Amino acid sequence: MGDTSVKLAIGDNSFDYPVLSGSVGPDVIDIRKLYGQADVFTYDPGFTSTASCRSKLTYIDGDAGVLLHRGYPIGQLAENSSFMEVAYLLLNGELPVQQDLDKFIYTISRHTMLHEQLATFYRGFRRDAHPMAIMCGVVGALSAFYHDSTDIDDPQQRMIASHRLIAKMPTIAAMAYKYSIGQPFLYPKNELSYTGNFLRMTFGVPAEPYEVDPVIEAAMDKIFILHADHEQNASTSTVRLAGSSGANPFACIAAGIACLWGPAHGGANEAALNMLREIGHPDRIPEYIARAKNKDDPFRLMGFGHRVYKNYDPRATVMQKTATEVLDKLGVTDPVFDVARELEQIALNDPYFIEKKLYPNVDFYSGVILSAIGFPTTMFTALFALARTVGWVAQWNEMISDPEQKIGRPRQLYTGPTQRDYIPVDKR
Ligand code: CMC
């Protein structure tokens, strides 16, 4: 309970509500008793001012462009850590000592295979199915295959399910890709790193050995770190909401994948690259800037703007640097990158974007890198889902072990007809 309180006056009545303080960030008014005491709800579509839970995982200061996981700045993690270490950190709260990290990597690598019958499941999809459609289906189907890790009241089973999800996601995503191009699925190779293994399952073929390129592996690992968690975003809130009813972890993560797919969320990386390709040449940028500013045109600059960051997205800074490294290493001279650089400069100096605090977000450059590595645009959001699974399972575990957790059940402001009598069809 906080030290202070706020007073709410409604007509002649006044009510006191405690103000809770976190370790950092804005205070929160605890209005849980509001409806019971004052018979009113709050109205907050999109939850722009509503804290839905307590969390120790991730902190964002959108005005300052700060993103911390368990207190550690994202820039430091991306520069010095590995995706597996960040996964351990998010799940367990502290950075691991070497022995614990080795054990964690070993555990994850022992869960990378999929039940063999799931390969048959893939064959039920059309060849041109979007990988996110396959991911939703296959991840949801995991609950039918791993019955020994669906009891959410057992912390041990919750942890096994979390490890399974983190471990199997690269296999699932790589198989979605292989299926789309008609190549055989590759089994995981556990002597490779988490990211190296994923690259091999995606780009390798059984007929030849596959050499993991360390520059690509490092870049990919960084992309995974940058997408690992992002506080109570739409897909994470979806996972929490689905989990609040007691649904099993695989079903909850499938719900998160469905939410992530949308172009306003994870689908933006695919949409951003498609947009850059459509622009095609720096000369056409003014036309698209004008469209983005036109109120009568629904077009938005994809990869720009963020609900929380009203300063530079700290993930975009790392992403831009990584893009240069990857393109240099691969010797790729993609005109799309020139369009991206130029568009960024023009938008950053345009009064419309300055006034509305619209900056490039994480998705602006990630598509350029992924495309240079060889991923088709349809795989971009699947890669986001792979990485975000770590955040989803960590947040889901935190929620299940929170004694204040309740089934999520928002209220509404009803604006439909009041009660009226049914009229038989011949009398209408
Ligand atoms: N291009 C042009 N105008 C924009 C853009 C944009 N990308 N984003 C926001 N605006 C304008 C918007 O029209 C509105 O103007 P006005 O106040 O005159 O009506 C104002 O800025 C505020 O926009 P909003 O939609 O109320 O802001 P929001 O916080 O609800 O939306 C957003 C955030 C990310 C959905 C939005 O900026 C957007 O659609 N961006 C493009 C999609 C994108 O890149 N999404 C990836 C987000 S980062 C990855 C992730 O976390 O999933």
Side-chain angles (χ1 to χ4, degrees):
M1 201 62 80
D3 298 322
T4 54
S5 66
V6 290
K7 221 172 248 324
L8 175 70
I10 303 180
D12 294 338
N13 299 318
S14 108
F15 307 91
D16 281 315
Y17 294 101
V19 177
L20 312 179
S21 296
S23 44
V24 57
D27 287 345
V28 166
I29 304 167
D30 178 356
I31 55 154
R32 279 176 289 180
K33 296 205 172 114
L34 178 69
Y35 175 55
Q37 291 176 339
D39 200 24
V40 292
F41 298 140
T42 53
Y43 183 61
D44 185 18
F47 308 113
T48 53
S49 298
T50 299
S52 59
C53 61
R54 293 174 195 255
S55 182
K56 291 186 165 66
L57 270 96
T58 292
Y59 173 73
I60 301 174
D61 180 340
D63 292 324
V66 167
L67 167 60
L68 310 176
H69 291 320
R70 303 278 192 186
Y72 297 102
I74 189 67
Q76 288 184 24
L77 293 172
E79 222 33 74
N80 308 305
S81 184
S82 67
F83 182 61
M84 278 295 93
E85 192 175 44
V86 172
Y88 182 99
L89 173 70
L90 284 166
L91 270 177
N92 299 292
E94 294 297 335
L95 285 170
V97 295
Q98 190 63 51
Q99 202 184 358
D100 289 341
L101 180 60
D102 293 345
K103 194 168 158 218
F104 181 69
I105 292 172
Y106 177 84
T107 305
I108 296 297
S109 70
R110 262 43 192 186
H111 283 294
T112 49
M113 286 201 302
L114 279 190
H115 191 291
E116 194 61 17
Q117 221 171 310
L118 274 163
T120 326
F121 205 84
Y122 276 77
R123 297 197 169 94
F125 288 98
R126 277 171 54 141
R127 286 276 173 201
D128 60 354
H130 195 287
M132 286 297 277
I134 298 183
M135 302 275 284
C136 282
V138 173
V139 172
L142 293 180
S143 27
F145 288 84
Y146 300 100
H147 296 286
D148 59 340
S149 54
T150 53
D151 177 1
I152 63 157
D153 296 321
D154 177 351
Q156 180 68 14
Q157 290 203 28
R158 287 207 303 270
M159 205 37 84
I160 296 172
S162 304
H163 291 158
R164 279 188 170 140
L165 278 156
I166 295 169
K168 292 183 197 309
M169 213 50 113
T171 316
I172 294 170
M175 284 170 73
Y177 173 65
K178 285 297 191 203
Y179 185 71
S180 74
I181 56 169
Q183 285 188 1
F185 299 141
L186 257 60
Y187 289 117
K189 248 188 187 288
N190 290 344
E191 78 255 24
L192 296 176
S193 72
Y194 182 87
T195 304
N197 185 32
F198 171 64
L199 287 169
R200 182 187 155 274
M201 286 190 291
T202 306
F203 297 118
V205 286
E208 286 172 12
Y210 178 82
E211 281 288 319
V212 179
D213 181 328
V215 173
I216 306 301
E217 186 182 18
M220 201 66 230
D221 206 65
K222 226 171 252 186
I223 292 177
F224 289 160
I225 293 175
L226 294 177
H227 287 90
D229 190 47
H230 213 229
E231 207 229 59
Q232 306 311 319
N233 57 86
S235 57
T236 301
S237 297
T238 301
V239 170
R240 279 186 178 255
L241 195 57
S244 76
S245 72
N248 76 69
F250 305 105
C252 296
I253 302 304
I257 294 172
C259 177
L260 186 76
W261 193 356
H265 192 8
N269 51 16
E270 180 176 348
L273 193 80
N274 288 338
M275 177 194 74
L276 292 173
R277 288 224 171 99
E278 190 185 306
I279 298 176
H281 192 277
D283 289 353
R284 296 189 62 206
I285 292 173
E287 183 194 322
Y288 283 82
I289 295 269
R291 283 189 63 195
K293 293 200 265 189
N294 182 355
K295 283 257 160 279
D296 299 325
D297 189 332
F299 174 79
R300 284 187 168 198
L301 275 193
M302 299 315 286
F304 269 79
H306 198 273
R307 167 59 63 77
V308 180
Y309 294 119
K310 301 302 174 192
N311 194 325
Y312 213 84
D313 178 343
R315 302 168 300 172
T317 318
V318 183
M319 206 60 100
Q320 189 197 32
K321 191 166 159 259
T322 311
T324 314
E325 283 164 13
V326 170
L327 295 190
D328 284 353
K329 157 77 192 167
L330 295 176
V332 174
T333 46
D334 191 341
V336 147
F337 197 49
D338 300 332
V339 175
R341 277 200 179 124
E342 185 85 13
L343 180 60
E344 181 181 11
Q345 282 320 306
I346 294 177
L348 287 178
N349 291 302
D350 189 292
Y352 173 92
F353 289 87
I354 295 170
E355 191 192 307
K356 294 191 187 305
K357 299 188 173 170
L358 298 171
Y359 296 88
N361 58 49
V362 67
D363 291 325
F364 189 62
Y365 279 108
S366 62
V368 175
I369 307 175
L370 297 174
S371 165
I373 294 176
F375 290 101
T377 45
T378 51
M379 275 298 286
F380 294 0
T381 316
L383 301 177
F384 192 157
L386 183 168
R388 185 55 57 84
T389 296
V390 161
W392 289 332
V393 294
Q395 300 262 359
W396 173 80
N397 271 294
E398 185 179 63
M399 181 197 66
I400 303 288
S401 34
D402 181 351
E404 288 185 348
Q405 188 264 324
K406 278 172 180 288
I407 184 166
R409 177 51 172 99
R411 299 295 193 145
Q412 63 170 6
L413 175 66
Y414 177 69
T415 57
T418 52
Q419 184 171 327
R420 47 186 172 163
D421 288 325
Y422 176 82
I423 302 162
V425 71
D426 58 330
K427 304 252 166 41
R428 281 173 217 160

